[in-house]
Amino acid sequence: MDHFQYRSGEMFAEEVPISRLADDVGTPFYCYSTATLKRHYRVFADALNGLDASICYAVKANSNIAVIAALARLGAGADVVSIGEMKRALVAGVPAANILFSGVGKTEDEMASALKAGVLQINVESAPELETLSTVASSLGIDANVAIRVNPDVDALTHEKISTGKSENKFGVDWPEVPGVYARAAALPGINVTGVAVHIGSQLLDLDPFRQAYGMVVDLVRTLRADGHRIEHLDLGGGLGIPYDNEQPPSPKEYGTMVKEVVGDLDCKIFFEPGRLIAGNAGILVTRVVRVKKGTARTFIIVDAAMNDLVRPTLYNAHHAIVPVNEAPDGAKLTEVEVVGPICETGDTFGRQFLPEPGEGDLLAIRTAGAYGAVMASAYNTRALVPEVMVNGADASVIRDRISVDDMLSRESLPDWLSDDEEARGQEQKEAGD
Ligand SMILES: *Cc1c(COP(=O)(O)O)cnc(C)c1O
């Protein structure tokens, strides 16, 4: 359920007509619905009722500070994977004590910043990372709260680029090495072992891999406690999938029930790190048709959004439903068209779909674009960085401006030897003569 619905044939975000936003902001732009974000958060939180649970929103799914702030107001903490994300979470009002710091390549600077900020826990992904963290924490005189992220070697049955819990993936400590890493952690200065963490992938459509991984982790907690480790936190990661097309992911309720069965009364505080589930359906990418090009093989609908604005279709072969902002009249004929961007790559496509054939200037909405959309946008082909708008009831606010081509060019400069500047070039010629 989301709050992008038609009213008298026109798509609205909550109480705001999309076409009005398009007139105000220009296209393409992302549009997020606060009510949808909140709804998804609450449905997930309700499904965990009865557990001593804490939801740390995975900021990487959509890291706009307004999105984080909307969730923080509901009590969400944050899961961050860089110091940049930690800064966003803090600016958005998430207390450091509710921030989990994950990631496979934390630098010493990042560790130090996280420790100084006082984050809840650092999820360590390897033995060498643990050694470095011990050194950094000791030199600061701070004890780092640490969970070891374990790799249970479980197939998440998802796209290979977002599977993270197999032994051939770079994430977490390999299962056979886990007890040794905990023993080392207990012996190292500056390290305070608090828990175990696991995250096996994203867009999971089946509960079984979760069940298997979580079951292994529960057994591990028992073993670690028997070895004398104090395990108070269990971080079960994110990864629950959402429907983009006809997928039928488990509901949050089914997921919650499974967690309760598997984790039972382990007497741990349990952390969840959902990203996509919260943000995915809370956003659309709005784009305008630039041109209709009828080829011999296909009809191309060329729009002003492109793979640089939303890379999921070309990166993961992901499907996103595309719908007209102004509904076609009842009984309008559907034709198969391919919706493509203007970028000079054949991969710049949003996919083939049956649509009432749009005309030049029509607005289209690319749905389920709230997660891994704007955060992955680039300026490829020197295209302005796509803006973001947030709606809340009848209010709308630009929460990230379009970063213009002029902004980008203002950060580039010619080196002296290519400059038209007389003095600089004179210097160059003089050196050439020497
Ligand atoms: C990406 C990621 C998440 C969020 O995954 P979703 O599929 O968006 O829920 C959670 N935890 C970690 C460690 C991640 O890397």
Side-chain angles (χ1 to χ4, degrees):
M1 224 301 272
D2 62 51
H3 290 77
F4 299 100
Q5 304 291 339
Y6 290 104
R7 288 189 192 175
S8 324
E10 182 178 0
M11 184 181 274
F12 277 62
E14 303 187 26
E15 313 292 320
V16 182
I18 297 294
S19 58
R20 198 186 85 206
L21 295 175
D23 288 343
D24 290 352
V25 182
T27 51
F29 66 96
Y30 278 95
C31 177
Y32 308 132
S33 151
T34 308
T36 313
L37 281 172
K38 287 184 173 172
R39 181 173 186 281
H40 289 165
Y41 180 84
R42 292 209 174 101
V43 166
F44 192 68
D46 285 350
L48 304 174
N49 250 338
L51 287 170
D52 181 9
S54 182
I55 301 174
C56 291
Y57 167 64
V59 166
K60 78 174 195 277
N62 185 324
S63 60
N64 190 291
I65 57 171
V67 170
I68 306 172
L71 295 167
R73 300 282 171 92
L74 303 179
D79 170 56
V80 304
V81 294
S82 70
I83 280 307
E85 287 190 354
M86 184 185 82
K87 278 192 184 156
R88 287 178 174 279
L90 291 171
V91 166
V94 181
N98 292 346
I99 298 178
L100 296 167
F101 192 16
S102 307
V104 73
K106 302 174 200 82
T107 63
E108 289 181 30
D109 281 350
E110 287 184 306
M111 291 173 182
S113 301
L115 289 170
K116 284 187 212 150
V119 297
L120 164 69
Q121 178 174 285
I122 298 184
N123 292 350
V124 167
E125 303 226 9
S126 66
E129 182 189 339
L130 184 66
E131 301 291 329
T132 304
L133 180 59
S134 167
T135 309
V136 173
S138 303
S139 74
L140 291 172
I142 300 174
D143 275 348
N145 291 330
V146 166
I148 304 296
R149 176 168 173 185
V150 298
N151 184 325
D153 195 20
V154 165
D155 189 345
L157 308 173
T158 185
H159 192 278
E160 58 174 51
K161 286 184 184 162
I162 48 175
S163 164
T164 60
K166 288 285 288 168
S167 57
E168 62 262 35
N169 302 138
K170 69 182 172 182
F171 299 98
V173 172
D174 277 345
W175 197 256
E177 275 147 42
V178 169
V181 172
Y182 272 93
R184 181 74 183 140
L188 280 172
I191 300 292
N192 175 38
V193 173
T194 45
V196 179
V198 67
H199 170 76
I200 59 172
S202 197
Q203 185 58 8
L204 271 73
L205 296 173
D206 193 329
L207 285 183
D208 285 343
F210 283 125
R211 193 189 301 276
Q212 199 187 334
Y214 294 174
M216 290 170 69
V217 167
V218 167
D219 290 344
L220 174 69
V221 170
R222 298 213 164 93
T223 310
L224 291 172
R225 282 178 172 165
D227 290 347
H229 300 287
R230 207 160 44 100
I231 306 293
E232 296 171 327
H233 296 166
L234 191 54
D235 179 345
L236 297 181
L240 190 55
I242 60 173
Y244 285 90
D245 194 4
N246 300 317
E247 304 96 334
Q248 299 211 314
S251 67
K253 188 139 211 90
E254 290 165 322
Y255 174 83
T257 304
M258 177 275 295
V259 170
K260 287 172 209 171
E261 277 167 24
V262 175
V263 173
D265 46 356
L266 200 59
D267 193 25
C268 273
K269 185 167 179 78
I270 307 182
F271 293 87
F272 296 88
E273 303 170 344
R276 189 189 307 269
L277 182 80
I278 306 289
N281 277 310
I284 59 174
L285 174 60
V286 180
T287 182
R288 203 180 278 285
V289 176
V290 175
R291 193 156 296 120
V292 175
K293 182 179 174 188
K294 296 198 185 217
T296 46
R298 275 180 204 171
T299 297
F300 295 102
I301 307 299
I302 305 169
V303 298
D304 63 2
M307 62 186 271
N308 70 299
D309 304 306
L310 176 65
V311 77
R312 296 192 70 261
T314 194
L315 186 59
Y316 310 120
N317 291 321
H319 172 89
H320 285 262
I322 302 172
V323 294
V325 166
N326 290 291
E327 261 183 324
D330 276 350
K333 186 166 148 271
L334 298 182
T335 30
E336 188 175 36
V337 296
E338 179 163 354
V339 179
V340 298
I343 283 184
C344 300
E345 299 216 14
T346 299
D348 180 26
T349 174
F350 295 111
R352 267 186 282 166
Q353 312 213 351
F354 284 90
L355 282 179
E357 192 176 304
E360 252 177 55
D362 286 359
L363 291 169
L364 298 176
I366 303 178
R367 299 188 62 113
T368 321
Y372 307 106
V375 283
M376 297 178 98
S378 76
Y380 185 38
N381 273 214
T382 305
R383 292 166 47 81
L385 198 63
V386 60
E388 299 169 274
V389 177
M390 179 180 254
V391 167
N392 183 38
D395 292 333
S397 174
V398 175
I399 57 172
R400 180 176 77 191
D401 259 346
R402 192 180 302 282
I403 296 182
S404 72
V405 170
D406 286 344
D407 289 337
M408 289 187 251
L409 287 182
S410 73
R411 299 188 162 266
E412 295 183 24
S413 55
L414 291 170
D416 289 349
W417 63 89
L418 294 174
S419 171
D420 281 338
D421 186 289
E422 279 295 316
E423 209 175 307
R425 210 183 41 208
Q427 182 65 26
E428 177 81 0
Q429 279 163 354
K430 184 169 151 295
E431 278 165 17
D434 284 348

